[in-house]
C-alpha cells in the first residue's frame, strides 16, 4: 500500500533522512520507534509533503507522490494525525471534523465517528479548547478519518496521555486495522507499539536500522531496546 524508497530529506543544510526504506502492506500497522531527534517526525512530514524530500520515492498503491503538495497527497488518500494534535481550539468538535471533510467521502460519517468515539458525540458542541487531552487526541483521529483515507500517519499519538487513555487509543487503532485502514505509527511508547503493530522499524540518525515482524521483535525486544532505544 505505502512504500518509501531511498528517502532523503533536509532542513537547510541538515541532512535529516538519509536513505529511508520502508514498506507497509495494505490493512496493516507499521510502527517506527526511535529516540527523540532521530527523524521520525520528519519521516511522516516528508510522506505528507510538508517537508518535501530531495531524493527518493513515496509510493501509494504504486504511484510516486514525492514532491506533491500536501493537499494532493490528502486527496490521494493519506491522512495525518500530527504530534500535538493541532486541533482548532475555537471550533466545536463537529466543526473540527468537518474542516477535513471531503465531498465524496462517505465511509466515516459523523454518526460512525461518534459511535467510535462516544465521548466526542456527547460533547459535539464543545470547543476544542474545552476537551481533555485524550478527547483532543481522539478528535485528531476523527478528523483524519472523515476523509476516508487509505493510509493514516500518526505521529506520537500517546504523547502526554494517561495509561488508561493510551489503552483506549490502542483499542481504536486496532479496530481501524480491522476496518482495513493502513497505519504508520510513529511512537516512543513501546507498550503501545507492541499492542497494535504488525511490523516494527527502528530509526537511528535518519536511517532505518532494524526491521522485523512483531513476533520477532518481541522475541528480541531487550536486545533491540538496549542497542537502539535506551539513552
Amino acid at each position: 500500500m505505502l512504500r518509501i524508497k531511498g528517502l532523503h530529506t533536509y532542513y537547510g543544510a541538515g541532512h535529516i533522512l538519509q536513505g529511508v526504506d520502508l514498506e507497509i502492506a495494505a490493512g496493516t500497522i507499521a510502527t517506527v520507534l526511535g529516540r527523540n531527534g532521530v527523524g521520525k517526525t520528519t519521516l511522516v512530514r516528508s510522506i505528507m509533503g510538508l517537508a518535501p524530500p530531495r531524493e527518493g520515492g513515496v509510493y501509494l498503491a504504486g504511484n510516486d507522490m514525492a514532491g506533491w503538495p500536501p493537499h494532493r497527497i490528502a486527496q490521494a488518500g493519506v491522512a495525518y494525525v500530527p504530534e500535538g494534535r493541532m486541533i482548532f481550539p475555537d471550533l466545536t468538535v463537529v466543526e473540527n471534523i468537518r474542516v477535513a471533510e471531503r465531498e465524496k467521502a462517505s465511509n466515516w460519517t459523523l454518526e460512525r465517528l461518534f459511535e467510535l468515539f462516544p465521548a466526542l458525540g456527547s460533547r459535539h458542541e464543545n470547543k476544542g479548547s474545552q476537551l481533555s487531552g485524550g478527547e483532543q487526541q481522539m478528535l485528531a483521529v476523527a478528523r483524519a478519518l472523515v476523509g476516508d483515507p487509505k493510509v493514516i500517519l500518526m505521529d506520537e499519538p500517546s504523547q502526554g496521555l494517561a495509561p488508561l487513555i493510551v489503552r483506549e487509543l490502542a483499542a481504536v487503532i486496532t479496530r481501524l486495522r480491522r476496518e482495513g485502514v493502513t497505519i504508520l505509527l510513529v511512537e516512543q511508547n513501546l507498550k503501545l507499539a507492541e499492542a497494535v503493530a504488525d511490523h516494527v522499524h527502528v530509526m537511528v540518525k535518519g536511517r532505518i536500522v532494524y526491521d522485523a515482524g512483531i513476533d520477532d521483535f518481541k522475541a528480541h525486544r531487550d536486545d533491540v531496546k538496549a542497542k537502539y532505544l535506551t539513552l
Side-chain angles (χ1 to χ4, degrees), residues 5-10 13-21 37-39 42-43 46 53 55-56 203-209:
K5 183 67 176 176
L7 210 62
H8 291 262
T9 301
Y10 293 73
H15 192 180
I16 310 302
L17 300 185
Q18 302 181 20
V20 172
D21 295 317
V38 299
T42 300
L43 173 61
S46 294
E55 299 177 39
M203 180 175 281
V204 174
K205 294 181 179 178
R207 297 177 182 270
I208 299 295
V209 297

Side-chain angles (χ1 to χ4, degrees), residues 82-216:
E83 182 180 11
R85 298 136 200 171
M86 303 296 288
I87 64 167
F88 296 100
D90 294 328
L91 298 185
T92 67
V93 166
V94 171
E95 289 167 342
N96 264 281
I97 293 171
R98 285 190 165 150
V99 162
E101 210 168 18
R102 289 194 289 127
E103 186 176 344
K104 295 181 181 180
S106 60
N107 188 34
W108 290 100
T109 62
L110 278 177
E111 290 75 18
R112 282 199 74 202
L113 291 171
F114 290 155
E115 183 270 327
L116 182 63
F117 303 113
L120 296 183
S122 64
R123 307 195 67 186
H124 67 277
E125 295 184 349
N126 286 71
K127 292 185 177 182
S129 60
Q130 297 172 317
L131 304 180
S132 69
E135 289 167 343
Q136 289 181 359
Q137 186 61 66
M138 298 306 179
L139 178 55
V141 176
R143 181 180 59 191
L145 285 170
V146 77
D148 288 353
K150 299 173 184 175
V151 177
I152 296 183
L153 313 174
M154 295 188 176
D155 190 2
E156 303 277 6
S158 72
Q159 187 179 67
L161 301 183
L164 177 61
I165 305 302
V166 174
R167 287 195 291 272
E168 292 179 5
L169 178 64
V172 167
I173 293 172
T174 301
R175 176 173 168 180
L176 294 179
R177 174 176 53 197
R178 292 198 302 268
E179 297 277 355
V181 180
T182 304
I183 298 174
L184 175 60
L185 174 68
V186 166
E187 261 298 343
Q188 290 193 71
N189 188 321
L190 201 56
K191 289 184 178 179
L192 175 60
E194 284 189 339
V196 302
D198 299 295
H199 213 89
V200 175
H201 308 265
V202 177
M203 180 175 281
V204 174
K205 294 181 179 178
R207 297 177 182 270
I208 299 295
V209 297
Y210 177 86
D211 176 355
I214 189 62
D215 291 336
D216 190 47

